Amino acid sequence: MSRTLQEWLYLLEQRHPKEIDMGLARVSAVRDRMGLKYDCPVIMVGGTNGKGSTCAMLESILLQAGYRVGLYSKPHFLDFNERARINGENCSDAQLVDAFEKVEAARGETSLTYFEFTTLAICRLLADAQLDVAILEVGLGGRLDAVNVVDANVSIVTSIDIDHVDYLGDTRELIGFEKAGIFRPGKVAICSDPSPPQSLIDHAEKTGADLWLFGRDFNYGGDKQQWNYGGRSQRRNSLGYPSLRGANQLLNASAALAALESLKDRLPVGAQEVRSGLVMVELPGRFQVLPGRPSVILDVAHNPHAAAALAQNLDNMGFHPYTYAVFGSMLDKDIEGVLAHMGGKVDHWMVTDLPLPRAATAQQLEEKLRASGALNEAEKTVSCFASPEEAYLAAVSKAGENDRIVVFGSFLTVAGAMRARRAR
């Protein structure tokens, strides 16, 4: 019986008892039965924050260079199809359904989570698409992430910070080891974190990967008008700043250019193509400032490292009389750490429930806000809402045209605001 894409997704959500089931044995077994392999270079991108931006810059530059590019990224905001892109376009329902059926035919009695099944399907779709290059974004961790059943020609780890402590550990050293699990013997392994954990360096050496470290093997410099990249054997001068906003984007751009430098014999890219790719890159929900008034900023920041970057970016925006925040978060996140950076930036909080059992309730977020001291000033307020859509519409109704609204804390929070805007 043929199923629609939505029927497939509903089935996969119901089928496996766990949302996350760490380990690669089951996924590897199905991969082998599928004969899944790539005939083109594969760039794999992991890290705590900055993965999506780095993938988007790689995709944009390589498209400008005329290559046929496949991208697997996650999670999606509004449509599952956002996760699989070929030549800058989301894959169709029919393409995804066909890939799902191929995984189902090879799966046999092997149980796969939603993420594992969809990862194998999208990897199959991209492997069959006659690509010049595939870009695969790693999900949780790296070592035991389903994407890691593919062998990459180049692996990138962006930043390393505390997140997903129940699965990855509660120190940067433990998390760095997990992230470094995507490195391969004899292959280029890039880390753009300015202070990489020793565990990552040690694992790269033990694995026999060719480790490129920011500040040692590649770097950037520049002024307010332009910037320069310097690598092991290649320089890129007079580059325009990426269209993605934010203080950390040059780190992400440098990692992307280091990956392209390492592949320059197989995928040569000219200076103008780099410039155009950086200027034209787009990525929803990463310090995305929407047109119009009041200013609306969408940012998926959901851990202290990302919240610190968001706070700095808000400071760089100039004066706004009032800042309204639409905030929803998973309960297992370091909410106190996030509020430590964002508490002083917001005047009026719209905290919201999210449609997942492991999400914090609006009431729990209000309690954490009060405990953090973010509401100590008399004019600061907090209101609770049942959904991000309701919270966003309330913020829009209250904000003046010179104010700003920042939506953050989770992909689900930002997706809710996007749905509310689309419905309007």
Side-chain angles (χ1 to χ4, degrees), residues 10-276:
Y10 178 77
L11 173 66
L12 296 177
E13 287 171 352
Q14 306 303 313
R15 179 185 277 172
H16 194 85
K18 293 182 181 178
E19 182 183 356
I20 298 170
D21 193 358
M22 303 291 274
L24 296 183
R26 291 172 293 102
V27 190
S28 297
V30 180
R31 174 206 60 193
D32 292 343
R33 290 199 288 272
M34 293 171 67
L36 178 62
K37 60 183 177 62
Y38 284 82
D39 297 323
C40 66
V42 175
I43 305 172
M44 190 174 292
V45 184
T48 305
N49 299 304
K51 300 187 295 289
S53 298
T54 303
C55 288
M57 285 189 248
L58 281 166
E59 179 194 40
S60 183
I61 293 168
L62 288 161
L63 286 173
Q64 288 298 310
Y67 293 111
R68 182 169 170 82
V69 184
L71 172 63
Y72 172 33
S73 63
K74 56 204 144 323
H76 61 277
F77 285 106
L78 301 177
D79 300 307
F80 181 87
N81 312 60
E82 298 166 27
R83 297 185 179 218
R85 291 161 61 86
I86 295 175
N87 265 7
E89 299 292 333
N90 293 348
C91 291
S92 67
D93 285 13
Q95 288 173 298
L96 288 163
V97 166
D98 180 65
F100 283 10
E101 290 172 348
K102 289 176 180 175
V103 177
E104 185 74 355
R107 183 178 68 85
E109 298 300 313
T110 304
S111 177
L112 297 172
T113 67
Y114 174 100
F115 176 66
E116 291 166 344
F117 191 105
T118 56
T119 292
L120 285 170
I122 292 172
C123 285
R124 170 86 279 166
L125 195 166
L126 298 182
D128 292 344
Q130 298 181 307
L131 301 174
D132 295 313
V133 57
I135 304 165
L136 307 179
E137 180 182 346
V138 178
L140 189 153
R143 183 174 64 92
L144 298 177
D145 185 89
V147 178
N148 203 31
V149 299
V150 176
D151 283 330
N153 300 82
V154 181
S155 299
I156 301 172
V157 172
T158 55
S159 65
I160 297 139
D161 209 67
I162 309 299
D163 204 359
H164 301 294
V165 294
D166 292 345
Y167 297 98
L168 305 182
D170 58 1
T171 68
R172 290 183 78 244
E173 290 296 331
L174 289 171
I175 294 172
F177 170 75
E178 295 294 335
K179 302 292 183 188
I182 65 174
F183 296 164
R184 293 293 188 271
K187 303 294 186 181
V188 170
I190 294 165
C191 182
S192 57
D193 191 306
S195 301
Q198 189 62 41
S199 60
L200 178 140
I201 297 171
D202 292 345
H203 187 72
E205 292 177 354
K206 182 179 179 181
T207 303
D210 178 14
L211 181 61
W212 293 36
L213 292 177
F214 177 79
R216 186 189 75 181
D217 300 281
F218 66 100
N219 213 329
Y220 70 81
D223 54 34
K224 291 184 178 180
Q225 276 71 47
Q226 59 188 21
W227 69 285
N228 309 310
Y229 163 83
R232 285 185 178 177
S233 63
Q234 189 175 57
R235 289 195 61 81
R236 305 273 194 184
N237 296 318
S238 305
L239 299 172
Y241 280 84
S243 63
L244 301 181
R245 300 168 183 246
N248 291 328
Q249 293 300 354
L250 287 189
L251 280 174
N252 299 328
S254 296
L257 293 185
L260 295 178
E261 178 184 353
S262 74
L263 291 169
K264 65 180 187 295
D265 292 337
R266 297 184 68 179
L267 296 168
V269 176
Q272 188 54 47
E273 291 140 4
V274 170
R275 294 188 185 101
S276 299

